[in-house]
Amino acid sequence: EGHYMDLVYFDKFQNVKLEDYMKGYSDFLESQGEKGITCTRVETVEEVLSVSDVVSLHPLLDKTTHHLINKERLAIMKDDAILVNAARGPVVDEVALVSHLQANPNFRCGLDVFEDEPDMKPGLAECKNAVIVPHIASASLWTRGGMATLAATNIASFLSGHPACESQDMTPFVDGPFDAMPESCPSIVNMSDIKRA
């Protein structure tokens, strides 16, 4: 029943686009005689962890998010919560996670990444309440096809002398016909440092 879950999120900045989307979906549900849903931004990670049935992690990895989920924060979570790490392995203290999984059989996790990838901390592979996959979250046909298209377009556009793309939206490069692609390099982040021959 994921389509009927309320959403609680933590972010430094309010995500108005997300909140508007969730409000529109809630309005749709109510128009169909269903119960509406809510989207709430909270002030702390601890608030999210204490109220959530499912916690899905998507932060970048830096010194502020290294071991974001640690022993203390795991203890705040519901006994039967589900933790999903689709970000970077070191966002979760894997030793603390193994200990928590072993001590709390109703707690579950889904991991696509590991702290010392490709290795896992001792005991993780034996946890029956952990679903573990080998870093394949991006392995959909659309995503991998899009990655290949962006790489090829970068090379062809650069060699043709086209400038860097000004937009953060890569959709025109991966969702349209080839002849409708913008004439620019979609994702060369260090374009100004590269010298053309």
Side-chain angles (χ1 to χ4, degrees):
E1 296 279 332
H3 296 293
Y4 298 99
M5 287 194 305
D6 293 330
L7 180 78
V8 178
Y9 75 98
F10 168 75
D11 200 329
K12 279 171 49 173
F13 307 102
Q14 182 177 11
N15 190 331
V16 175
K17 187 174 180 180
L18 171 67
E19 292 178 13
D20 289 347
Y21 176 84
M22 294 293 287
K23 173 73 169 98
Y25 183 62
S26 181
D27 291 346
F28 168 76
L29 288 174
E30 289 175 356
S31 76
Q32 303 301 305
E34 302 277 354
K35 179 182 176 289
I37 58 173
T38 61
C39 179
T40 308
R41 177 176 170 254
V42 295
E43 297 297 319
T44 67
V45 172
E46 288 77 13
E47 246 182 299
V48 171
L49 298 176
S50 68
V51 301
S52 298
D53 297 315
V54 178
V55 174
S56 186
L57 302 172
H58 302 275
L60 56 81
L61 175 62
D62 66 14
K63 63 183 179 183
T64 68
T65 61
H66 183 267
H67 286 186
L68 177 71
I69 303 301
N70 56 25
K71 179 181 179 178
E72 293 75 24
R73 286 185 168 150
L74 285 165
I76 293 170
M77 297 179 72
K78 293 181 178 181
D79 291 340
D80 61 349
I82 300 170
L83 175 68
V84 177
N85 186 7
R88 295 287 183 240
V91 168
V92 174
D93 177 346
E94 211 168 281
V95 170
L97 177 63
V98 170
S99 177
H100 194 77
L101 288 165
Q102 291 170 341
N104 299 279
N106 292 328
F107 185 90
R108 290 152 291 161
C109 75
L111 303 175
D112 180 55
V113 290
F114 311 104
E115 188 169 356
D116 300 315
E117 206 164 291
D119 298 324
M120 292 182 278
K121 297 293 188 199
L124 182 59
E126 290 74 43
C127 290
K128 301 293 186 206
N129 45 348
V131 175
I132 303 166
V133 295
H135 206 151
I136 59 169
S138 69
S140 71
L141 184 59
W142 184 88
T143 302
R144 294 289 168 93
M147 291 164 68
T149 300
L150 287 174
T153 304
N154 273 330
I155 295 166
S157 294
F158 183 80
L159 294 175
S160 298
H162 297 304
C165 180
E166 297 293 324
S167 173
Q168 295 292 317
D169 181 12
M170 296 293 110
T171 308
F173 293 97
V174 296
D175 268 354
F178 285 112
D179 58 356
M181 279 187 194
E183 291 191 343
S184 61
C185 300
S187 57
I188 300 178
V189 295
N190 64 336
M191 184 83 166
S192 61
D193 298 333
I194 300 173
K195 305 232 182 327
R196 295 182 197 262

